[in-house]
Amino acid sequence: PYEILAAGLAATLSDAKRAGVRRILIVAPLPEFPWYSPACVVKAIRVGSDTCSILRAKVDARRERTMMILRQAVAPFENVRLIDPINLFCTETECRPNKGAELYFFDTSHLSSAGAERLYQGYERDFLWALTGDGVGNKVSKDSSR
């Protein structure tokens, strides 16, 4: 599947550039939780214990090869930017689907409205760059990790 990802992404980026797309923003994978996040968070709030976090090391290990492929795929292209929002949802040691009662994921891996807002706030300049050309100056960053 990794070879298919690499080839498919390279073809998609090439096609988009040929079609006249000027700027492309790629968002790296988010943590994937092994349970339905809303139910877990409700249960954790009820019992007063953090039972929904997962180890950051496991998340990083799962994403490692995908991140390598994404970085390689965007490298040859001008005005293609890869952002990695993992630190918005993870600390150095763990990842959580929530902060208190604020739920960032509406299932195992998809952002809720609050999660999407957190992503946008964390990378607003990159989103503005992709949509308007404004934002982080004229410099193209291949990986805008924060």
Side-chain angles (χ1 to χ4, degrees):
Y2 291 108
E3 293 77 23
I4 294 170
L5 172 63
L9 183 55
T12 299
L13 292 172
S14 293
D15 290 347
K17 289 299 189 171
R18 274 194 301 277
V21 175
R22 292 185 292 176
R23 292 172 300 279
I24 299 171
L25 182 63
I26 298 174
V27 180
L30 298 167
E32 295 176 73
F33 296 92
W35 45 75
Y36 182 66
S37 295
C40 186
V41 170
V42 166
K43 182 179 176 184
I45 290 170
R46 283 184 182 160
V47 299
S49 175
D50 176 18
T51 56
C52 301
S53 63
I54 55 177
L55 292 176
R56 169 73 183 259
K58 285 187 178 186
V59 171
D60 288 341
R62 180 162 170 78
R63 292 171 8 112
E64 183 177 14
R65 186 139 181 226
T66 301
M67 291 302 299
M68 180 187 70
I69 289 168
L70 291 175
R71 287 184 186 104
Q72 290 172 348
V74 303
F77 294 94
E78 290 256 345
N79 290 322
V80 175
R81 200 173 278 186
L82 171 63
I83 60 173
D84 185 0
I86 196 71
N87 291 331
L88 297 175
F89 304 101
C90 301
T91 66
E92 294 276 328
T93 57
E94 60 192 5
C95 301
R96 288 189 175 89
N98 66 304
K99 182 176 182 182
E102 188 171 31
L103 186 62
Y104 296 137
F105 293 82
F106 71 80
D107 61 11
T108 58
S109 62
H110 296 94
L111 293 176
S112 66
S113 295
E117 181 63 24
R118 185 166 175 84
L119 173 64
Y120 179 76
Q121 292 301 320
Y123 289 91
E124 180 178 11
R125 293 172 65 185
D126 295 289
F127 282 102
L128 290 174
W129 167 82
L131 296 170
T132 67
D134 292 336
V136 189
N138 293 324
K139 183 179 177 206
V140 176
S141 62
K142 297 293 184 199
D143 183 352
S144 300
S145 300
R146 299 193 217 299

PDB file of all heavy atoms in Angstrom, residues 89-111:
ATOM      1  N   PHE A  89      -2.502  17.699  18.915  1.00  0.00           N
ATOM      2  CA  PHE A  89      -3.342  16.683  19.543  1.00  0.00           C
ATOM      3  C   PHE A  89      -2.554  15.722  20.429  1.00  0.00           C
ATOM      4  O   PHE A  89      -3.141  14.845  21.057  1.00  0.00           O
ATOM      5  CB  PHE A  89      -4.098  15.909  18.453  1.00  0.00           C
ATOM      6  CG  PHE A  89      -4.893  16.825  17.567  1.00  0.00           C
ATOM      7  CD1 PHE A  89      -4.420  17.191  16.315  1.00  0.00           C
ATOM      8  CD2 PHE A  89      -6.093  17.362  18.004  1.00  0.00           C
ATOM      9  CE1 PHE A  89      -5.139  18.061  15.507  1.00  0.00           C
ATOM     10  CE2 PHE A  89      -6.823  18.231  17.201  1.00  0.00           C
ATOM     11  CZ  PHE A  89      -6.343  18.583  15.957  1.00  0.00           C
ATOM     12  N   CYS A  90      -1.242  15.894  20.457  1.00  0.00           N
ATOM     13  CA  CYS A  90      -0.388  14.994  21.232  1.00  0.00           C
ATOM     14  C   CYS A  90       0.660  15.792  22.005  1.00  0.00           C
ATOM     15  O   CYS A  90       1.145  16.814  21.521  1.00  0.00           O
ATOM     16  CB  CYS A  90       0.356  14.026  20.307  1.00  0.00           C
ATOM     17  SG  CYS A  90      -0.692  12.982  19.289  1.00  0.00           S
ATOM     18  N   THR A  91       1.013  15.267  23.157  1.00  0.00           N
ATOM     19  CA  THR A  91       2.178  15.763  23.887  1.00  0.00           C
ATOM     20  C   THR A  91       3.355  14.888  23.476  1.00  0.00           C
ATOM     21  O   THR A  91       3.225  14.030  22.604  1.00  0.00           O
ATOM     22  CB  THR A  91       1.963  15.654  25.410  1.00  0.00           C
ATOM     23  OG1 THR A  91       1.879  14.262  25.767  1.00  0.00           O
ATOM     24  CG2 THR A  91       0.702  16.390  25.866  1.00  0.00           C
ATOM     25  N   GLU A  92       4.462  15.048  24.132  1.00  0.00           N
ATOM     26  CA  GLU A  92       5.636  14.201  23.849  1.00  0.00           C
ATOM     27  C   GLU A  92       5.363  12.729  24.149  1.00  0.00           C
ATOM     28  O   GLU A  92       5.977  11.848  23.562  1.00  0.00           O
ATOM     29  CB  GLU A  92       6.831  14.658  24.694  1.00  0.00           C
ATOM     30  CG  GLU A  92       7.341  16.034  24.350  1.00  0.00           C
ATOM     31  CD  GLU A  92       8.304  15.996  23.185  1.00  0.00           C
ATOM     32  OE1 GLU A  92       9.021  14.994  23.030  1.00  0.00           O
ATOM     33  OE2 GLU A  92       8.323  16.981  22.433  1.00  0.00           O
ATOM     34  N   THR A  93       4.410  12.462  25.061  1.00  0.00           N
ATOM     35  CA  THR A  93       4.208  11.086  25.516  1.00  0.00           C
ATOM     36  C   THR A  93       2.863  10.478  25.164  1.00  0.00           C
ATOM     37  O   THR A  93       2.738   9.253  25.150  1.00  0.00           O
ATOM     38  CB  THR A  93       4.385  10.990  27.046  1.00  0.00           C
ATOM     39  OG1 THR A  93       3.462  11.889  27.670  1.00  0.00           O
ATOM     40  CG2 THR A  93       5.810  11.348  27.450  1.00  0.00           C
ATOM     41  N   GLU A  94       1.840  11.308  24.924  1.00  0.00           N
ATOM     42  CA  GLU A  94       0.516  10.742  24.661  1.00  0.00           C
ATOM     43  C   GLU A  94      -0.315  11.621  23.741  1.00  0.00           C
ATOM     44  O   GLU A  94      -0.044  12.802  23.577  1.00  0.00           O
ATOM     45  CB  GLU A  94      -0.238  10.476  25.959  1.00  0.00           C
ATOM     46  CG  GLU A  94      -0.459  11.704  26.798  1.00  0.00           C
ATOM     47  CD  GLU A  94      -0.950  11.383  28.202  1.00  0.00           C
ATOM     48  OE1 GLU A  94      -1.030  10.201  28.578  1.00  0.00           O
ATOM     49  OE2 GLU A  94      -1.260  12.326  28.926  1.00  0.00           O
ATOM     50  N   CYS A  95      -1.335  11.000  23.160  1.00  0.00           N
ATOM     51  CA  CYS A  95      -2.288  11.692  22.290  1.00  0.00           C
ATOM     52  C   CYS A  95      -3.672  11.533  22.899  1.00  0.00           C
ATOM     53  O   CYS A  95      -4.008  10.462  23.413  1.00  0.00           O
ATOM     54  CB  CYS A  95      -2.273  11.086  20.893  1.00  0.00           C
ATOM     55  SG  CYS A  95      -0.658  11.161  20.081  1.00  0.00           S
ATOM     56  N   ARG A  96      -4.460  12.600  22.816  1.00  0.00           N
ATOM     57  CA  ARG A  96      -5.814  12.584  23.383  1.00  0.00           C
ATOM     58  C   ARG A  96      -6.823  13.055  22.334  1.00  0.00           C
ATOM     59  O   ARG A  96      -6.531  13.953  21.572  1.00  0.00           O
ATOM     60  CB  ARG A  96      -5.902  13.526  24.576  1.00  0.00           C
ATOM     61  CG  ARG A  96      -5.189  13.063  25.801  1.00  0.00           C
ATOM     62  CD  ARG A  96      -5.544  13.981  26.995  1.00  0.00           C
ATOM     63  NE  ARG A  96      -4.952  13.467  28.200  1.00  0.00           N
ATOM     64  CZ  ARG A  96      -3.737  13.783  28.619  1.00  0.00           C
ATOM     65  NH1 ARG A  96      -3.003  14.625  27.942  1.00  0.00           N
ATOM     66  NH2 ARG A  96      -3.260  13.267  29.729  1.00  0.00           N
ATOM     67  N   PRO A  97      -8.028  12.496  22.384  1.00  0.00           N
ATOM     68  CA  PRO A  97      -9.065  12.947  21.459  1.00  0.00           C
ATOM     69  C   PRO A  97      -9.811  14.182  21.967  1.00  0.00           C
ATOM     70  O   PRO A  97     -10.755  14.642  21.322  1.00  0.00           O
ATOM     71  CB  PRO A  97     -10.004  11.739  21.381  1.00  0.00           C
ATOM     72  CG  PRO A  97      -9.897  11.122  22.730  1.00  0.00           C
ATOM     73  CD  PRO A  97      -8.452  11.322  23.154  1.00  0.00           C
ATOM     74  N   ASN A  98      -9.397  14.703  23.099  1.00  0.00           N
ATOM     75  CA  ASN A  98     -10.134  15.794  23.728  1.00  0.00           C
ATOM     76  C   ASN A  98      -9.226  16.615  24.624  1.00  0.00           C
ATOM     77  O   ASN A  98      -8.101  16.217  24.936  1.00  0.00           O
ATOM     78  CB  ASN A  98     -11.265  15.235  24.585  1.00  0.00           C
ATOM     79  CG  ASN A  98     -10.740  14.438  25.771  1.00  0.00           C
ATOM     80  OD1 ASN A  98      -9.973  13.489  25.601  1.00  0.00           O
ATOM     81  ND2 ASN A  98     -11.124  14.831  26.974  1.00  0.00           N
ATOM     82  N   LYS A  99      -9.763  17.749  25.034  1.00  0.00           N
ATOM     83  CA  LYS A  99      -9.184  18.535  26.126  1.00  0.00           C
ATOM     84  C   LYS A  99     -10.356  18.874  27.021  1.00  0.00           C
ATOM     85  O   LYS A  99     -11.211  19.676  26.657  1.00  0.00           O
ATOM     86  CB  LYS A  99      -8.516  19.808  25.615  1.00  0.00           C
ATOM     87  CG  LYS A  99      -7.858  20.621  26.709  1.00  0.00           C
ATOM     88  CD  LYS A  99      -7.131  21.813  26.153  1.00  0.00           C
ATOM     89  CE  LYS A  99      -6.445  22.576  27.283  1.00  0.00           C
ATOM     90  NZ  LYS A  99      -5.770  23.765  26.760  1.00  0.00           N
ATOM     91  N   GLY A 100     -10.426  18.200  28.167  1.00  0.00           N
ATOM     92  CA  GLY A 100     -11.594  18.334  29.024  1.00  0.00           C
ATOM     93  C   GLY A 100     -12.830  17.854  28.281  1.00  0.00           C
ATOM     94  O   GLY A 100     -12.836  16.783  27.683  1.00  0.00           O
ATOM     95  N   ALA A 101     -13.866  18.689  28.259  1.00  0.00           N
ATOM     96  CA  ALA A 101     -15.110  18.328  27.578  1.00  0.00           C
ATOM     97  C   ALA A 101     -15.090  18.696  26.095  1.00  0.00           C
ATOM     98  O   ALA A 101     -16.047  18.417  25.381  1.00  0.00           O
ATOM     99  CB  ALA A 101     -16.292  19.007  28.266  1.00  0.00           C
ATOM    100  N   GLU A 102     -14.009  19.302  25.634  1.00  0.00           N
ATOM    101  CA  GLU A 102     -13.918  19.669  24.215  1.00  0.00           C
ATOM    102  C   GLU A 102     -13.417  18.465  23.417  1.00  0.00           C
ATOM    103  O   GLU A 102     -12.291  18.008  23.597  1.00  0.00           O
ATOM    104  CB  GLU A 102     -12.987  20.860  24.035  1.00  0.00           C
ATOM    105  CG  GLU A 102     -13.002  21.411  22.634  1.00  0.00           C
ATOM    106  CD  GLU A 102     -12.254  22.724  22.525  1.00  0.00           C
ATOM    107  OE1 GLU A 102     -11.279  22.946  23.279  1.00  0.00           O
ATOM    108  OE2 GLU A 102     -12.660  23.528  21.674  1.00  0.00           O
ATOM    109  N   LEU A 103     -14.247  17.966  22.528  1.00  0.00           N
ATOM    110  CA  LEU A 103     -13.960  16.766  21.764  1.00  0.00           C
ATOM    111  C   LEU A 103     -13.356  17.139  20.416  1.00  0.00           C
ATOM    112  O   LEU A 103     -13.965  17.859  19.631  1.00  0.00           O
ATOM    113  CB  LEU A 103     -15.253  15.972  21.561  1.00  0.00           C
ATOM    114  CG  LEU A 103     -15.141  14.618  20.902  1.00  0.00           C
ATOM    115  CD1 LEU A 103     -14.294  13.669  21.738  1.00  0.00           C
ATOM    116  CD2 LEU A 103     -16.536  14.036  20.699  1.00  0.00           C
ATOM    117  N   TYR A 104     -12.141  16.651  20.119  1.00  0.00           N
ATOM    118  CA  TYR A 104     -11.449  16.967  18.877  1.00  0.00           C
ATOM    119  C   TYR A 104     -11.717  15.956  17.760  1.00  0.00           C
ATOM    120  O   TYR A 104     -11.474  16.258  16.602  1.00  0.00           O
ATOM    121  CB  TYR A 104      -9.941  17.054  19.108  1.00  0.00           C
ATOM    122  CG  TYR A 104      -9.529  18.167  20.025  1.00  0.00           C
ATOM    123  CD1 TYR A 104      -8.578  17.959  21.006  1.00  0.00           C
ATOM    124  CD2 TYR A 104     -10.078  19.432  19.922  1.00  0.00           C
ATOM    125  CE1 TYR A 104      -8.184  18.982  21.850  1.00  0.00           C
ATOM    126  CE2 TYR A 104      -9.692  20.463  20.767  1.00  0.00           C
ATOM    127  CZ  TYR A 104      -8.743  20.223  21.731  1.00  0.00           C
ATOM    128  OH  TYR A 104      -8.357  21.241  22.554  1.00  0.00           O
ATOM    129  N   PHE A 105     -12.174  14.762  18.105  1.00  0.00           N
ATOM    130  CA  PHE A 105     -12.425  13.716  17.109  1.00  0.00           C
ATOM    131  C   PHE A 105     -13.856  13.212  17.273  1.00  0.00           C
ATOM    132  O   PHE A 105     -14.292  12.965  18.387  1.00  0.00           O
ATOM    133  CB  PHE A 105     -11.449  12.548  17.295  1.00  0.00           C
ATOM    134  CG  PHE A 105     -10.029  12.921  16.979  1.00  0.00           C
ATOM    135  CD1 PHE A 105      -9.234  13.577  17.904  1.00  0.00           C
ATOM    136  CD2 PHE A 105      -9.489  12.645  15.733  1.00  0.00           C
ATOM    137  CE1 PHE A 105      -7.935  13.951  17.615  1.00  0.00           C
ATOM    138  CE2 PHE A 105      -8.188  13.009  15.423  1.00  0.00           C
ATOM    139  CZ  PHE A 105      -7.408  13.667  16.367  1.00  0.00           C
ATOM    140  N   PHE A 106     -14.568  13.045  16.148  1.00  0.00           N
ATOM    141  CA  PHE A 106     -15.946  12.575  16.262  1.00  0.00           C
ATOM    142  C   PHE A 106     -16.067  11.069  16.069  1.00  0.00           C
ATOM    143  O   PHE A 106     -17.149  10.507  16.167  1.00  0.00           O
ATOM    144  CB  PHE A 106     -16.911  13.344  15.349  1.00  0.00           C
ATOM    145  CG  PHE A 106     -16.787  13.069  13.877  1.00  0.00           C
ATOM    146  CD1 PHE A 106     -17.349  11.947  13.305  1.00  0.00           C
ATOM    147  CD2 PHE A 106     -16.132  13.963  13.056  1.00  0.00           C
ATOM    148  CE1 PHE A 106     -17.248  11.703  11.948  1.00  0.00           C
ATOM    149  CE2 PHE A 106     -16.033  13.741  11.701  1.00  0.00           C
ATOM    150  CZ  PHE A 106     -16.594  12.608  11.146  1.00  0.00           C
ATOM    151  N   ASP A 107     -14.946  10.423  15.812  1.00  0.00           N
ATOM    152  CA  ASP A 107     -14.921   8.962  15.769  1.00  0.00           C
ATOM    153  C   ASP A 107     -13.492   8.535  16.102  1.00  0.00           C
ATOM    154  O   ASP A 107     -12.852   9.151  16.951  1.00  0.00           O
ATOM    155  CB  ASP A 107     -15.435   8.409  14.439  1.00  0.00           C
ATOM    156  CG  ASP A 107     -14.614   8.862  13.223  1.00  0.00           C
ATOM    157  OD1 ASP A 107     -13.519   9.435  13.397  1.00  0.00           O
ATOM    158  OD2 ASP A 107     -15.080   8.627  12.090  1.00  0.00           O
ATOM    159  N   THR A 108     -12.958   7.532  15.444  1.00  0.00           N
ATOM    160  CA  THR A 108     -11.617   7.059  15.783  1.00  0.00           C
ATOM    161  C   THR A 108     -10.498   7.918  15.205  1.00  0.00           C
ATOM    162  O   THR A 108      -9.389   7.920  15.733  1.00  0.00           O
ATOM    163  CB  THR A 108     -11.418   5.601  15.296  1.00  0.00           C
ATOM    164  OG1 THR A 108     -11.630   5.568  13.883  1.00  0.00           O
ATOM    165  CG2 THR A 108     -12.372   4.655  16.000  1.00  0.00           C
ATOM    166  N   SER A 109     -10.770   8.660  14.097  1.00  0.00           N
ATOM    167  CA  SER A 109      -9.671   9.396  13.465  1.00  0.00           C
ATOM    168  C   SER A 109     -10.074  10.667  12.716  1.00  0.00           C
ATOM    169  O   SER A 109      -9.215  11.320  12.137  1.00  0.00           O
ATOM    170  CB  SER A 109      -8.937   8.471  12.480  1.00  0.00           C
ATOM    171  OG  SER A 109      -9.819   8.048  11.463  1.00  0.00           O
ATOM    172  N   HIS A 110     -11.343  11.017  12.707  1.00  0.00           N
ATOM    173  CA  HIS A 110     -11.793  12.199  11.963  1.00  0.00           C
ATOM    174  C   HIS A 110     -12.076  13.360  12.915  1.00  0.00           C
ATOM    175  O   HIS A 110     -12.690  13.174  13.969  1.00  0.00           O
ATOM    176  CB  HIS A 110     -13.042  11.873  11.146  1.00  0.00           C
ATOM    177  CG  HIS A 110     -12.773  10.864  10.095  1.00  0.00           C
ATOM    178  ND1 HIS A 110     -12.977   9.518  10.293  1.00  0.00           N
ATOM    179  CD2 HIS A 110     -12.282  10.992   8.844  1.00  0.00           C
ATOM    180  CE1 HIS A 110     -12.637   8.862   9.199  1.00  0.00           C
ATOM    181  NE2 HIS A 110     -12.200   9.733   8.301  1.00  0.00           N
ATOM    182  N   LEU A 111     -11.641  14.538  12.498  1.00  0.00           N
ATOM    183  CA  LEU A 111     -11.786  15.711  13.345  1.00  0.00           C
ATOM    184  C   LEU A 111     -13.246  16.148  13.480  1.00  0.00           C
ATOM    185  O   LEU A 111     -14.001  16.139  12.504  1.00  0.00           O
ATOM    186  CB  LEU A 111     -10.986  16.885  12.773  1.00  0.00           C
ATOM    187  CG  LEU A 111      -9.480  16.734  12.795  1.00  0.00           C
ATOM    188  CD1 LEU A 111      -8.819  17.934  12.110  1.00  0.00           C
ATOM    189  CD2 LEU A 111      -8.962  16.581  14.224  1.00  0.00           C
TER     190      LEU A 111
END
